[in-house]
Amino acid sequence: VIVTLLTDFGTADYFAGAMKGAVLSVNPAVTLIDITHEIPAHDVEAAAFTLSAAFDSFPAGTVHVAVVDPGVGSARRPIVVEAHGHFFVGPDNGVFGLVCASARGHRAFHLTNEKYFRRGVSATFHGRDVFAPAAGALTLGVGPETMGPAVGDLARLPFTAPRRLDEHTLEAVVHIDHFGNCLTNISRADLPPAVIESGARFSINGREVKALRRFYDEDVGADDEPFVIWGSAGLLEISVNRNSAARLLDACRGQVVRVSTARVETVNDE
Amino acid sequence: VIVTLLTDFGTADYFAGAMKGAVLSVNPAVTLIDITHEIPAHDVEAAAFTLSAAFDSFPAGTVHVAVVDPGVGSARRPIVVEAHGHFFVGPDNGVFGLVCASARGHRAFHLTNEKYFRRGVSATFHGRDVFAPAAGALTLGVGPETMGPAVGDLARLPFTAPRRLDEHTLEAVVHIDHFGNCLTNISRADLPPAVIESGARFSINGREVKALRRFYDEDVGADDEPFVIWGSAGLLEISVNRNSAARLLDACRGQVVRVSTARVETVNDE
Amino acid sequence: VIVTLLTDFGTADYFAGAMKGAVLSVNPAVTLIDITHEIPAHDVEAAAFTLSAAFDSFPAGTVHVAVVDPGVGSARRPIVVEAHGHFFVGPDNGVFGLVCASARGHRAFHLTNEKYFRRGVSATFHGRDVFAPAAGALTLGVGPETMGPAVGDLARLPFTAPRRLDEHTLEAVVHIDHFGNCLTNISRADLPPAVIESGARFSINGREVKALRRFYDEDVGADDEPFVIWGSAGLLEISVNRNSAARLLDACRGQVVRVSTARVETVNDE
């Protein structure tokens, strides 16, 4: 049985290690996998994105613990969610918003049964004291419905899908990856590949990007020319081959990209 | 069986991977857990602190390997320590000082039995060649007493507890975490919660901090106001909600915090 | 069964996690070990070096996945290599060049059998979609020869061994580790220890280094004096005790070190 961890704890402190110890104290046979501990501090949207891109590479039944939790100790609810045949444990602050949005359905429960908590829960580290032990219990076959009452209304993220401004215009947000690729939140359901191939124009920071590639190193266009590509999370990216598109386009996380799919009427067409 | 690793090796080189390979070469069934590899280079005190905050989240019988070892190859002794029902393997340079200080007792042995070393021990990488194989042997049930002679006098850290300057004043040192929280080395044994609640004053870098919170996001006080809180390691922290107290207070690791528990006599009390 | 991962993906994104999920989806019993995900982006030589220094700490039969793959999606071949009793999976771009150079022999196969790929291979993330699933299949006992046709001519690195300029002079390249040690690619086969002990002179950035130490903290010479030492990868390093030789010598990765083993004729010898 597998438990993954995704947090904003960094890897320099005892936090991630202590969470793993807390899982193993409940079930020493768990295989623990770090998705990342480098979510920017308190950035729930980045956590939701990374989780949604990673979880379905794992086998069904995996338990994913996501702790980006600025409200730890306050009234925000600890929850366990079942969706896509996986389990998700963490705070009810939108971190599971994308996972739930793409699911056919989900069940959610308010983690209130202290039987599944660590003895002596702190007010500052529910990752270790609440979420990790609950994850451990799930791997032992404890049903999420025994952990607390069902919850119908989960916290939502500000937005999870691109905004449609008009018939021909979408507005998307950007996430920057390690290589400087600018990932949008545009999936094939938002913008069919055929529409892009027929000439969509992407505008980011006043710069227009039109070239489309199938893979990064495709031998077309100039070096350092930005292009659009379907990335491995099933989302459109703006990239530059062997270079950082984010740096070359001065793009940052959370910024807006506008996509126009209107055919450009050539002026000299008369 | 679980082996944890805590080093100052960083994660960019082959060092941490090679240590894990060396453990698995002795016992391929071990579950390996990184506590951290980002202890500042050669900072034995930071290693001692992080280990002491992390180890007891793991089940009894866990083997913890701690390698912050600027004296590798010199006369400093490799040791194995049994304390709190856990095993600890590493150099005798104080890295286990806090773990031993909080234990009811401990046993320590000088790792001299080359039977448990890697073949061809280098003079520069005992993490891979001495400590990892010994940890692997411990997970196979080898008794620490068979690994070398008992050791009575372990190396100590400069200080492991706050200094009491007078009846009403404590001096503590600060450790900075990933979120910029300033952790002191003050535990509930040093300063009972009731004393703090009745009005202790913390002074750091010429700034006084008096507010006390139960959790970070508690709805009291101004934004960016530093406050004192009992953190998840059982130690007092100076924190700022959703911001870095270290940056706002210009605090750095190793710096001193003074705590005054004298009742402030109000001048107009006559 | 053990699978190690070595990439330039960093640890902030979903990439490393997704690869692990893809391995575990094929074989949930695998023990996954990160060697590193911090190879500089697209730096195949650094990947080859780190892999060659790490792999043989692991037990025979370990599967090592190395993905530094700027050509992903292009015509570069995905391969599986058997050498030293270990398996290696990744792109055919030289990343296995050092591992193969030190082996008595090796077998290599072009990964073409889609039966061992993830369903729906992307053009941008073969780490998750090709290499990880193939690694999982190897751990289940699938023979590499069933994964595709044998390959005789693997891509090579520009150079894998020091260059001999004349009878008394070697030119080596430098790799910098986390502590600032400057590792050369000079092994005992290139320069016997006896030759060094009789007075080899290392010249880096116009500075000459002659002192030789057995371990970093050896009590000889001045502080901050650079010295030469046999490091734990079996390669000569230029180091400074408890300090960064790279910073003190202004050295960077890929730079050249010249080694002269000619006896210095003393001028006043007549």
Side-chain angles (χ1 to χ4, degrees):
Chain A
V1 281
I2 302 160
V3 173
T4 78
L5 303 180
L6 180 148
T7 77
D8 61 352
F9 293 166
T11 50
D13 294 302
Y14 63 91
F15 307 137
M19 279 184 69
K20 295 179 189 178
V23 173
L24 294 168
S25 292
V26 175
N27 183 359
V30 164
T31 295
L32 281 157
I33 300 290
D34 295 309
I35 293 180
T36 183
H37 298 288
E38 293 170 44
I39 300 295
H42 310 147
D43 191 336
V44 175
E45 288 182 42
F49 167 71
T50 302
L51 181 63
S52 73
F55 87 90
D56 70 350
S57 294
F58 289 86
T62 296
V63 180
H64 305 276
V65 184
V67 190
V68 175
D69 192 15
V72 60
S74 72
R76 72 91 189 86
R77 298 177 295 199
I79 53 172
V80 52
V81 176
E82 189 175 359
H84 300 278
H86 293 240
F87 296 100
F88 301 87
V89 185
D92 179 27
N93 62 9
V95 70
F96 303 128
L98 291 172
V99 162
C100 290
S102 67
R104 289 189 190 188
H106 68 263
R107 300 196 300 157
F109 301 91
H110 184 181
L111 255 174
T112 55
N113 191 337
E114 297 187 8
K115 177 176 164 187
Y116 302 112
F117 296 176
R118 192 171 185 251
R119 217 161 12 112
V121 173
S122 73
T124 58
F125 194 5
H126 286 189
R128 177 191 65 191
D129 301 339
V130 174
F131 303 127
L138 289 167
T139 67
L140 293 173
V142 172
E145 65 283 351
T146 68
M147 293 184 167
V151 172
D153 54 326
L154 297 185
R156 285 159 185 272
L157 290 172
F159 58 107
T160 57
R163 267 188 279 245
R164 188 161 290 282
L165 301 190
D166 62 40
E167 193 190 347
H168 297 299
T169 318
L170 275 183
E171 206 172 67
V173 285
V174 161
H175 177 95
I176 313 286
D177 77 12
H178 176 72
F179 296 97
N181 299 309
C182 301
L183 283 68
T184 72
N185 57 342
I186 300 172
S187 72
R188 288 177 176 84
D190 300 310
L191 204 58
V195 172
I196 293 172
E197 277 161 28
S198 71
R201 301 184 313 279
F202 292 74
S203 151
I204 179 168
N205 266 344
R207 178 134 175 209
E208 193 160 89
V209 179
K210 288 195 294 189
L212 181 68
R213 290 200 187 177
R214 287 172 305 132
F215 53 90
Y216 297 120
D217 202 25
E218 198 174 354
D219 192 16
V220 294
D223 286 355
D224 283 0
E225 188 200 341
F227 52 85
V228 176
I229 189 169
W230 284 105
S232 60
L235 300 171
L236 275 177
E237 298 177 17
I238 298 174
S239 299
V240 171
N241 190 30
R242 304 194 190 208
N243 212 325
S244 166
R247 200 174 58 240
L248 291 173
L249 296 168
D250 205 21
C252 61
R253 186 181 123 48
Q255 105 162 66
V256 161
V257 177
R258 192 166 286 202
V259 190
S260 167
T261 56
R263 295 300 185 92
V264 184
E265 308 301 331
T266 53
V267 174
N268 301 321
D269 209 31
E270 57 197 304
Chain B
V1 283
I2 302 161
V3 172
T4 79
L5 304 180
L6 182 148
T7 77
D8 62 350
F9 292 166
T11 49
D13 293 302
Y14 63 91
F15 307 138
M19 279 184 69
K20 295 179 189 180
V23 173
L24 294 168
S25 292
V26 175
N27 182 359
V30 164
T31 297
L32 281 157
I33 300 290
D34 296 309
I35 293 180
T36 182
H37 298 288
E38 293 169 43
I39 299 295
H42 310 146
D43 190 336
V44 176
E45 289 182 41
F49 167 72
T50 301
L51 181 62
S52 73
F55 85 90
D56 71 350
S57 295
F58 289 85
T62 297
V63 180
H64 305 276
V65 184
V67 190
V68 175
D69 191 15
V72 61
S74 72
R76 73 89 189 89
R77 298 177 295 199
I79 54 172
V80 52
V81 176
E82 190 176 357
H84 301 278
H86 294 239
F87 296 100
F88 301 88
V89 184
D92 179 26
N93 61 9
V95 70
F96 304 129
L98 290 173
V99 161
C100 290
S102 67
R104 289 190 191 187
H106 66 265
R107 300 196 301 158
F109 302 90
H110 184 181
L111 256 174
T112 56
N113 192 338
E114 299 186 8
K115 178 177 164 189
Y116 302 111
F117 296 177
R118 192 171 185 250
R119 216 161 13 111
V121 173
S122 72
T124 58
F125 194 6
H126 285 188
R128 177 191 65 190
D129 301 339
V130 174
F131 302 127
L138 289 168
T139 67
L140 293 173
V142 172
E145 66 283 351
T146 68
M147 293 184 166
V151 172
D153 54 325
L154 297 185
R156 286 158 186 272
L157 291 171
F159 57 108
T160 57
R163 268 187 279 245
R164 189 161 288 283
L165 300 190
D166 62 39
E167 193 191 346
H168 298 298
T169 318
L170 275 182
E171 207 172 67
V173 285
V174 161
H175 177 95
I176 313 287
D177 77 13
H178 176 71
F179 296 97
N181 299 308
C182 301
L183 283 68
T184 71
N185 57 342
I186 301 172
S187 70
R188 288 178 176 84
D190 300 310
L191 205 57
V195 172
I196 293 171
E197 279 161 26
S198 69
R201 301 186 310 280
F202 292 74
S203 151
I204 178 166
N205 266 344
R207 178 134 175 210
E208 193 160 271
V209 180
K210 287 194 296 189
L212 181 68
R213 290 200 188 177
R214 287 172 304 133
F215 54 90
Y216 296 121
D217 203 23
E218 197 175 354
D219 193 17
V220 293
D223 286 355
D224 283 2
E225 188 199 339
F227 53 86
V228 176
I229 188 168
W230 284 105
S232 60
L235 300 171
L236 274 177
E237 298 178 15
I238 298 174
S239 299
V240 171
N241 191 31
R242 306 195 188 207
N243 212 326
S244 165
R247 200 174 58 239
L248 291 173
L249 295 168
D250 204 22
C252 62
R253 186 180 124 47
Q255 105 162 64
V256 161
V257 177
R258 192 165 288 200
V259 191
S260 169
T261 56
R263 296 300 184 93
V264 185
E265 307 301 331
T266 53
V267 174
N268 301 322
D269 209 31
E270 54 198 306
Chain C
V1 282
I2 301 160
V3 172
T4 79
L5 305 180
L6 181 149
T7 77
D8 62 351
F9 293 166
T11 49
D13 293 303
Y14 63 90
F15 307 138
M19 280 184 68
K20 295 179 189 180
V23 173
L24 294 169
S25 292
V26 175
N27 183 358
V30 164
T31 296
L32 281 157
I33 299 291
D34 297 309
I35 293 179
T36 183
H37 298 288
E38 294 170 42
I39 299 295
H42 310 144
D43 190 336
V44 175
E45 288 182 42
F49 167 72
T50 302
L51 181 63
S52 74
F55 86 89
D56 70 350
S57 295
F58 289 85
T62 296
V63 180
H64 305 275
V65 183
V67 190
V68 175
D69 191 15
V72 61
S74 72
R76 72 90 189 88
R77 297 178 295 198
I79 54 172
V80 52
V81 177
E82 189 175 359
H84 300 278
H86 294 239
F87 296 101
F88 302 87
V89 184
D92 179 27
N93 61 10
V95 70
F96 304 128
L98 291 172
V99 161
C100 290
S102 67
R104 290 190 189 188
H106 67 264
R107 302 195 300 157
F109 302 90
H110 184 182
L111 256 175
T112 55
N113 191 338
E114 298 186 8
K115 178 177 162 187
Y116 303 112
F117 296 177
R118 191 172 186 253
R119 216 159 13 110
V121 173
S122 72
T124 58
F125 194 6
H126 286 188
R128 177 191 65 190
D129 301 339
V130 174
F131 302 127
L138 289 167
T139 67
L140 293 173
V142 172
E145 65 282 351
T146 68
M147 293 184 168
V151 172
D153 54 326
L154 297 185
R156 285 159 186 273
L157 290 172
F159 58 106
T160 57
R163 267 187 282 245
R164 188 161 290 282
L165 301 189
D166 62 39
E167 192 191 346
H168 298 299
T169 318
L170 275 182
E171 206 172 68
V173 285
V174 161
H175 177 95
I176 313 286
D177 77 13
H178 175 72
F179 296 98
N181 298 309
C182 301
L183 282 68
T184 73
N185 57 342
I186 300 171
S187 71
R188 288 177 176 84
D190 301 310
L191 204 59
V195 172
I196 293 171
E197 278 160 28
S198 70
R201 300 185 311 279
F202 292 74
S203 150
I204 177 167
N205 267 344
R207 176 132 178 214
E208 194 161 88
V209 179
K210 287 194 296 189
L212 181 67
R213 290 200 187 176
R214 287 172 304 132
F215 54 90
Y216 296 120
D217 202 26
E218 198 174 354
D219 193 17
V220 293
D223 286 355
D224 283 1
E225 189 200 340
F227 51 86
V228 175
I229 188 168
W230 284 104
S232 59
L235 300 171
L236 274 178
E237 298 177 17
I238 299 174
S239 300
V240 171
N241 191 30
R242 304 195 189 206
N243 212 326
S244 165
R247 200 174 57 240
L248 290 172
L249 295 167
D250 204 22
C252 61
R253 186 179 123 50
Q255 105 163 65
V256 161
V257 176
R258 191 165 287 201
V259 190
S260 169
T261 56
R263 295 301 185 92
V264 184
E265 306 300 332
T266 53
V267 174
N268 301 321
D269 209 33
E270 56 197 302

